[in-house]
Amino acid sequence: MVTDAEVTLADVLSLKMAIEEPLAAGTQLVLRHRGSGAERRVMLGTPGRRAREASVAVSLGPLALLPGRWDAYLQQDGPRTRMQSVDPGFSLDRLDAYALDRRTMAYRAYRTRNGYLAIKIAEAGPIADVRAVWFREGRFEVTGLLAYTGLTDDDQHHTARLALRHSDDQDAQVVATATVQGVRFHAALSLCDVLAAMPDSQGVWEPSLEVDGLDGPLALGASLDDVEGKRRRVHYPATRVDGVPIKPSFTADDQLRLEVGQGMSAA
């Protein structure tokens, strides 16, 4: 039984297990990819004295794991056993700390709905991770955290801009100054300016954050949490400006969009 599961800042899977017998010689940790059935095997130590707990540390980078979800098993002499877990594997503070480094792959240990250990792996790149969205006094406002950029979580201010671009006409855009301190950002943009940028006031707008010193704009999305399927589960209040409905929403891949007009639906 796994009692504590964590992927460290160095992408090492660190496990603590409650055991009745010491791990036998030749015991392997088996990771199996749900989509392809691909497997990776790691030898775990040598026989030890009788104990009630065991610790395991496995470096994930050298295993060349594919993006997706990997289920964890232990295999000794006989059939493999799927590893049960009592650790939900979720800490927002830990995820925030993990996201401070530049990364191309992000690893996360978690407990499945049925109580088993699994690892979620996703491609990672710089992103503006959304924490709050609201409408106030005719403005669209958003706050969040810059993830996987390599910036330091300190008091340094960075010049930045929030840009909204129309999904069907990239020449239609609205830009406003944003505040970035360390890796925390806040931005506000006039909704009247958004309506004025398109003659028919209809369509889906894609927000991004441009930060001086970083290559390219950062998409606004939400990945540093345990909420799966935000398009179905996260719903922000809508507003009306000059009779035109406006609402924030998430796409299927958890990117933030601003829907303007009747019957809009982000892809």
Side-chain angles (χ1 to χ4, degrees), residues 32-40 66-67 69-70:
R32 188 174 191 277
H33 189 259
R34 291 186 191 174
S36 66
E39 293 186 355
R40 302 290 189 271
L66 302 172
R69 298 176 188 269
W70 294 74

Side-chain angles (χ1 to χ4, degrees), residues 56-195:
V56 169
V58 175
S59 181
L60 296 175
L63 298 181
L65 301 173
L66 302 172
R69 298 176 188 269
W70 294 74
D71 294 309
Y73 300 82
L74 275 184
Q75 188 160 21
Q76 301 190 57
D77 295 331
R80 68 183 60 176
T81 302
R82 194 170 179 187
M83 298 179 71
Q84 293 182 309
S85 177
V86 295
D87 183 0
F90 176 74
S91 164
L92 184 58
D93 290 340
R94 187 184 296 172
L95 290 178
D96 285 355
Y98 183 83
L100 289 178
D101 290 337
R102 283 185 176 273
R103 300 182 186 276
T104 57
M105 300 291 287
Y107 304 85
R108 185 187 307 176
Y110 72 100
R111 183 185 62 195
T112 69
R113 292 181 180 179
N114 295 327
Y116 295 102
L117 174 67
I119 302 172
K120 178 182 178 182
I121 303 175
E123 295 180 351
I127 187 174
D129 196 76
V130 174
R131 296 296 164 85
V133 174
W134 68 95
F135 294 126
R136 178 170 57 186
E137 298 177 350
R139 299 193 304 270
F140 162 68
E141 298 193 41
V142 58
T143 62
L145 177 97
L146 305 185
Y148 309 125
T149 63
L151 294 179
T152 303
D153 189 7
D154 55 19
D155 292 331
Q156 182 176 355
H157 288 268
H158 304 275
T159 302
R161 297 155 298 283
L162 174 68
L164 274 181
R165 290 180 175 83
H166 197 278
S167 60
D168 294 330
D169 183 358
Q170 292 297 300
D171 291 331
Q173 64 175 319
V174 182
V175 180
T177 300
T179 300
V180 174
Q181 181 175 340
V183 294
R184 317 286 167 168
F185 72 88
H186 170 267
L189 188 146
S190 169
L191 293 173
C192 290
D193 291 345
V194 175
L195 297 184

